[in-house]
Amino acid sequence: MALSTVLETPGAGFNFDNAARNAALEGLFEGGQTPKPLKTGTTIAGVVFKDGVVLGADTRATSSDVVADKMCAKIHYISPNIYCCGAGTAADTEKTTDLLSSNLSIFSLNSGRNPRMVMAVNILQDMLYRYHGQIGANLILGGVDCTGNHLYTVGPYGSVNKVPYLAMGSGDLAALGILEDGFKHNLELEKAKELVRAAIHAGIMSDLGSGNNIDICVITKEGVDYIRPYQESEYKDDRKMKYKYGPGTTAVLTEKVIPLKLEVVQETVQKMETV
Amino acid sequence: MLGEAEPQWLSEEVKTGTTIIAIEFNGGVVLGSDSRVSAGASVVNRVMNKLSPLHDKIYCALSGSAADAQTIAEMVNYQLDVHSMEIGEDPQVRSAANLVRNISYKYKEELSAHLIVAGWDKRAGGQVFATLNGLLTRQPFAVGGSGSSYVYGFVDAEYRKGMSKEDCQQFVVNTLSLAMNRDGSSGGVAYLVSIDEHGTEEKVILGNDLPTFFDQ
């Protein structure tokens, strides 16, 4: 059941040719292993407050035991009034949110207005359900539309939950403790931001897969305030040296210039009609 | 985190691991459910309303895999809307149950969800249908979900024909409370929906307002 205003994704599903190639390569490497997919091992949280929605996320992306990206952006743009935090496999969350964003832009251009949250949630649920959990994306969608302020979560199998506050990712149990304790309906902006910051901070402190800085995104009727970073890690490293190479670092030994012989074969001049 | 990809429950399928119940009285039906959604050992949502509207006076109760159950309910909601526009009047409860049964039966191998369909229509009054595994059967009352195993004895002993709406609501609340106490995958708050010819009434009963039994 596809919505009529969005592009149809091809029904062919997944192509697993690369799996055979990977298996053959692993044999060649003699005990080596193909790289594991980059997982974000994350803490993300969202809270509905009086005038809108606050989303928060940490910025660490891990690849097994190594931090692959210290300033990963986990809060993705979907539409001017909807943002989405993603946990799970990094590639899956990126691609899924990009697809959702472009589908909603088509809708906006067609209809001339901002999309509603329920539309974004329905498209996501359709797509994730179709792939039966193969797309490892745990998403928190937050936004403000003509019907109010909403916060939804969509799981990788396509289940949807609508809640006033939630946390996702490997650090979610720690974050949820803070949220359960501190959440009240109709919080003021500053209190809501502080609550989300504290929740992400708890996730960062208690979970190895989350860390580095905290990003906050505030969405209200008036607009979006994407604060990146909202709080920098106290353990931030100051690079002692510059790693850029100035011109002249590599000596040029010889230089040979060969002009290309081109002849004009055909020339057409078309005047532009300018009014 | 070192050496291990991510907690198992993050990639585990989200189940509703539930207690759901629907009972018919003279002139309508009462549906009830708990509110716990689990993914493995973790509770993903502790306040989910598992009573989903299929039409104004037809509701269904979800159990099993959350994604499968929600998707079936949405598909049937859409199909019922089209159907009721085609016939020009409110659909029968039997039609709604049939639509749910068709999906459950056709995709029996792929889906793992059980929906109980209940509602009121003007031809046959209040009706409750079970659609487990693709069968369709009308029953005076139906229970489902993981918590139902603990209360079969209670419902069989306590059910009486000809209960009033208030009696039915109390019966449903008692059953849910007992099941939520014994089943690890059920809990949270209790949602109640009462449907009769005058309208649909939704109610929430918070945890500490639930009846307590011999609990020491």
Side-chain angles (χ1 to χ4, degrees), chain A residues 125 129 160-161 165 172 180, chain B residues 45-46 68 70 74 111:
Chain A
Q125 184 188 34
Y129 184 76
V160 172
N161 285 305
Y165 61 92
D172 75 340
E180 289 278 16
Chain B
N45 188 352
R46 59 181 171 84
D68 289 346
Q70 282 177 342
E74 276 181 25
L111 294 175

Side-chain angles (χ1 to χ4, degrees), chain A residues 69-133:
Chain A
D69 191 350
K70 288 183 275 200
M71 259 310 253
C72 172
K74 299 185 191 177
I75 305 184
H76 308 283
Y77 166 86
I78 302 287
S79 76
N81 60 328
I82 303 176
Y83 275 70
C84 172
C85 303
T89 311
D92 288 343
T93 56
E94 273 293 331
K95 215 53 195 174
T96 309
T97 46
D98 275 349
L99 257 172
L100 176 64
S101 177
S102 41
N103 272 336
L104 288 180
S105 314
I106 295 178
F107 166 80
S108 287
L109 289 166
N110 257 332
S111 64
R113 53 186 170 145
N114 274 340
R116 294 194 190 186
M117 279 293 297
V118 282
M119 183 167 192
V121 173
N122 277 333
I123 295 175
L124 267 183
Q125 184 188 34
D126 258 354
M127 190 178 114
L128 291 175
Y129 184 76
R130 202 180 321 140
Y131 286 111
H132 289 298

Side-chain angles (χ1 to χ4, degrees), chain A:
Chain A
M1 235 185 49
L3 297 170
S4 54
T5 48
V6 300
L7 285 175
E8 286 274 356
T9 37
F14 281 102
N15 179 340
F16 286 107
D17 290 349
N18 278 344
R21 179 205 70 177
N22 288 351
L25 279 178
E26 255 180 46
L28 286 177
F29 281 153
E30 283 150 14
Q33 279 189 330
T34 45
K36 299 234 177 318
L38 176 65
K39 287 195 174 252
T40 50
T42 287
T43 307
I44 48 179
V47 159
V48 174
F49 73 103
K50 195 172 77 166
D51 306 316
V53 178
V54 178
L55 298 172
D58 73 306
T59 58
R60 174 178 290 183
T62 48
S63 181
S64 305
D65 319 343
V66 179
V67 175
D69 191 350
K70 288 183 275 200
M71 259 310 253
C72 172
K74 299 185 191 177
I75 305 184
H76 308 283
Y77 166 86
I78 302 287
S79 76
N81 60 328
I82 303 176
Y83 275 70
C84 172
C85 303
T89 311
D92 288 343
T93 56
E94 273 293 331
K95 215 53 195 174
T96 309
T97 46
D98 275 349
L99 257 172
L100 176 64
S101 177
S102 41
N103 272 336
L104 288 180
S105 314
I106 295 178
F107 166 80
S108 287
L109 289 166
N110 257 332
S111 64
R113 53 186 170 145
N114 274 340
R116 294 194 190 186
M117 279 293 297
V118 282
M119 183 167 192
V121 173
N122 277 333
I123 295 175
L124 267 183
Q125 184 188 34
D126 258 354
M127 190 178 114
L128 291 175
Y129 184 76
R130 202 180 321 140
Y131 286 111
H132 289 298
Q134 304 289 346
I135 298 186
N138 266 307
L139 303 165
I140 295 186
L141 275 134
V144 175
D145 61 26
C146 54
T147 54
N149 318 323
H150 306 288
L151 187 65
Y152 286 87
T153 170
V154 186
Y157 285 86
S159 54
V160 172
N161 285 305
K162 182 178 196 308
V163 270
Y165 61 92
L166 80 143
M168 275 277 172
S170 52
D172 75 340
L173 291 177
L176 214 40
I178 302 285
L179 288 175
E180 289 278 16
D181 189 42
F183 177 81
K184 289 182 192 27
H185 282 290
N186 291 329
L187 280 170
E188 294 293 332
L189 172 62
E190 286 311 314
K191 286 229 157 55
K193 270 158 67 174
E194 172 51 33
L195 181 64
V196 173
R197 186 214 65 82
I200 305 289
H201 186 74
I204 288 175
M205 286 295 136
S206 315
D207 175 42
L208 291 177
S210 310
N212 300 91
N213 307 332
I214 300 179
D215 289 346
I216 294 267
C217 182
V218 181
I219 311 169
T220 56
K221 224 169 40 213
E222 281 81 47
V224 173
D225 191 14
Y226 191 159
I227 314 168
R228 175 177 156 81
Y230 182 71
Q231 180 188 300
E232 295 207 303
S233 160
E234 300 125 43
Y235 305 98
K236 194 157 185 261
D237 211 0
D238 273 319
R239 294 250 164 85
K240 308 286 186 295
M241 266 174 50
K242 286 221 179 310
Y243 293 95
K244 278 194 155 30
Y245 297 101
T249 307
T250 310
V252 178
L253 295 178
T254 48
E255 198 175 303
K256 186 169 174 186
V257 178
I258 306 171
L260 292 171
K261 286 203 212 40
L262 298 170
E263 44 178 273
V264 180
V265 175
Q266 188 191 37
E267 190 175 317
T268 25
V269 176
Q270 181 166 28
K271 269 200 165 153
M272 262 176 56
E273 303 265 337
T274 46
V275 178

Side-chain angles (χ1 to χ4, degrees), chain B residues 65-86:
Chain B
S65 153
D68 289 346
Q70 282 177 342
T71 303
I72 299 176
E74 276 181 25
M75 281 170 70
V76 174
N77 186 349
Y78 164 78
Q79 290 169 350
L80 259 188
D81 271 347
V82 173
H83 173 68
S84 84
M85 269 190 262
E86 284 174 351

